[in-house]
Amino acid sequence: MTACPSTEEKLQQVCKAFRIQGSLQSFEEIKIGNVNKTYRVNFLHEDGKRKSYMVQSVNTYVFKNPIQVMNNIDLVTEYIHAKAPKKRVLHFHHTADRKTYLMDDNGFWRLFNYIPSSTYNTTENMDIIRNAGEAFGEFQMLLSDFDASSLSETIPNFHNTPKRYEQLIADAQADPKGRLARVRQEYDWLMSVQEEACRLACLYQQGQLPLRVTHNDTKINNVLFDPETNAALVVIDLDTVMPGLVGHDFGDAIRFAANFVEEDSPECQHAGINLDVFRMFTQGFLKHTAHSLTEMEIATLPLSCFALTVELAVRFLDDYLLGDPYFKINYPEHNLIRTRCQVALAKDMLEKMPQMEQIVRECMDHC
Ligand code: GN1
Ligand code: MG
């Protein structure tokens, strides 16, 4: 049996496989993202230049078929590059056998260029919020005529809220870790809003909302910003680009960016939707999308925020009941804390739904 390599040895091996020349000077784990592991590696090249790269180990519990994930990313980035050559996309390096990934005993690896930039989990800088909205709206538009059938559904039923509920109910019944009693309040509240949270999915099932190609993980920290101008440089994390509803992208972005606190804040009493952020993001998002969205898509944008927030609460709670196999946790109750924060946010959204609807109408009037 061979010994498990240290992180540094492993990163050395991965960089070598991706034909990075020079010597690895240092590396750090970037604590971003709840499923994959990400490292920044800093190289000194033979010509004396320093360059950094991002190495990621893809979570194969979450992405059962990571090769399909990479194929999707290749197709989407090539398409964007051909359609808008000036738009930045992440540059994935190839191995000697022309693959954008390395699969070995220690996992599934990929490597891309580091882009000097700033990222945010929360910000009250309204330029950044508007630019994030524009970036995700533009991303959506760039892919509006992309052939969705060429994409693999890398995580089936990813934003299928009714299916997420079914799973939660089944896992609560089995209660394999004996944790249900502790989360009864959260569970019961989620059950009480099931119909409303599933309304977006029902409208789709009834043929009232079109399927598009969506990003599906539109957290504001998946946009890289220019630290000086605050311009959005590139939309990253294309792992879940799949057919979806426009509300999936809009709703998930608001869930993350417009919350007064971070998504896993233990101070759930402070969670809630910041309507100024909601307005700014909406303005940015509609800039590129307003003309092509249907009336029903526009009318359901506020509902989609509630749906996506509840859906994630359902997913966090389900993971907690199962003993945390899916989301990375930093402490034992992390998924429960995340659930509580999403529940508090969803409650506030429900109360402010009329104001959110009014803001969307006002933004549309100015488009
Ligand atoms: C996961 O790993 P990250 O942060 O990109 C998850 C998203 C959740 C998000 C919550 C593939 O995304 O769906 O919204 O955590 N990604 C996957 O922070 O499940
Ligand atoms: Mg992601």
Side-chain angles (χ1 to χ4, degrees):
M1 225 167 86
T2 48
C4 215
S6 67
T7 305
E8 182 168 352
E9 282 163 354
K10 190 65 225 174
L11 291 172
Q12 294 268 21
Q13 281 172 19
V14 173
C15 292
K16 195 164 168 228
F18 284 103
R19 300 176 297 170
I20 304 298
Q21 309 283 339
S23 64
L24 175 67
Q25 300 286 293
S26 59
F27 70 91
E28 63 195 297
E29 186 177 345
I30 307 290
K31 298 268 185 201
I32 202 166
N34 287 334
V35 298
N36 296 330
K37 260 197 173 186
T38 308
Y39 301 89
R40 176 176 166 181
V41 295
N42 306 308
F43 268 75
L44 176 61
H45 293 292
E46 271 153 25
D47 60 3
K49 289 203 177 114
R50 290 175 190 278
K51 203 168 164 190
S52 298
Y53 304 88
M54 301 299 272
V55 173
Q56 258 181 343
S57 139
V58 176
N59 182 329
T60 51
Y61 176 84
V62 169
F63 296 103
K64 307 280 187 226
N65 191 334
I67 297 178
Q68 282 184 349
V69 171
M70 291 315 289
N71 284 343
N72 280 0
I73 293 177
D74 289 348
L75 288 173
V76 166
T77 48
E78 275 163 25
Y79 184 84
I80 292 177
H81 185 67
K83 191 164 170 184
K86 287 197 185 129
K87 270 254 92 65
R88 261 176 120 156
V89 286
L90 284 190
H91 174 69
F92 285 91
H93 286 240
H94 288 86
T95 58
D97 51 357
R98 307 296 302 150
K99 292 198 173 91
T100 50
Y101 58 85
L102 168 74
M103 206 166 19
D104 65 15
D105 291 348
N106 307 110
F108 188 96
W109 302 85
R110 60 191 178 194
L111 183 148
F112 50 95
N113 284 355
Y114 168 76
I115 300 179
S117 54
S118 301
T119 53
Y120 305 91
N121 282 342
T122 54
T123 173
E124 296 205 346
N125 181 324
M126 293 298 164
D127 279 345
I128 295 173
I129 296 289
R130 198 195 302 100
N131 290 343
E134 269 189 44
F136 283 127
E138 193 185 13
F139 184 84
Q140 166 87 199
M141 279 305 99
L142 280 169
L143 295 179
S144 58
D145 43 13
F146 181 87
D147 174 15
S149 68
S150 66
L151 293 177
S152 309
E153 202 180 358
T154 47
I155 304 183
N157 294 311
F158 190 58
H159 282 312
N160 186 335
T161 316
K163 278 255 184 313
R164 297 288 189 182
Y165 263 101
E166 271 174 34
Q167 195 60 56
L168 175 66
I169 293 167
D171 293 334
Q173 255 158 23
D175 194 17
K177 301 282 166 187
R179 290 179 169 182
L180 182 62
R182 215 176 319 163
V183 303
R184 199 76 239 186
Q185 241 186 326
E186 290 77 14
Y187 182 80
D188 287 348
W189 187 81
L190 288 171
M191 287 303 139
S192 75
V193 295
Q194 183 174 7
E195 200 180 320
E196 184 62 1
C198 292
R199 200 149 63 81
L200 188 77
C202 287
L203 287 168
Y204 165 64
Q205 279 154 12
Q206 292 160 2
Q208 297 199 53
L209 289 167
L211 203 59
R212 299 178 179 274
V213 175
T214 44
H215 180 283
N216 292 310
D217 189 10
T218 45
K219 304 203 288 194
I220 192 178
N221 63 19
N222 279 332
V223 181
L224 305 186
F225 294 91
D226 183 315
E228 260 134 52
T229 66
N230 290 337
L233 298 173
V234 55
V235 170
I236 60 166
D237 188 359
L238 308 188
D239 291 344
T240 46
V241 172
M242 280 182 285
L245 305 181
V246 73
H248 294 155
D249 279 1
F250 181 83
D252 196 41
I254 293 297
R255 174 194 75 71
F256 193 80
N259 194 351
F260 285 114
V261 294
E262 296 212 12
E263 95 182 340
D264 61 350
S265 168
E267 305 202 324
C268 68
Q269 72 277 16
H270 297 308
I273 179 160
N274 180 333
L275 292 176
D276 295 331
V277 172
F278 178 76
R279 181 185 294 276
M280 271 303 152
F281 185 91
T282 306
Q283 270 180 18
F285 190 81
L286 288 176
K287 183 174 162 192
H288 293 283
T289 56
H291 65 282
S292 64
L293 298 185
T294 67
E295 267 179 41
M296 183 60 97
E297 285 181 304
I298 292 163
T300 50
L301 290 178
L303 172 66
S304 72
C305 303
F306 177 71
L308 272 282
T309 305
V310 171
E311 182 187 282
L312 199 63
V314 165
R315 294 175 60 197
F316 284 148
L317 188 59
D318 188 30
D319 203 37
Y320 181 71
L321 290 178
L322 293 178
D324 317 297
Y326 189 102
F327 294 106
K328 287 193 273 185
I329 53 167
N330 298 335
Y331 53 92
E333 307 280 277
H334 203 161
N335 272 320
L336 180 53
I337 295 293
R338 286 169 172 147
T339 308
R340 289 192 176 134
C341 192
Q342 297 304 297
V343 164
L345 174 62
K347 284 183 180 168
D348 193 51
M349 284 176 172
L350 216 43
E351 261 175 42
K352 293 185 181 150
M353 200 51 73
Q355 285 132 284
M356 291 161 75
E357 284 165 354
Q358 178 62 22
I359 291 172
V360 170
R361 280 193 292 272
E362 285 168 15
C363 292
M364 279 305 291
D365 287 346
H366 290 102
C367 279

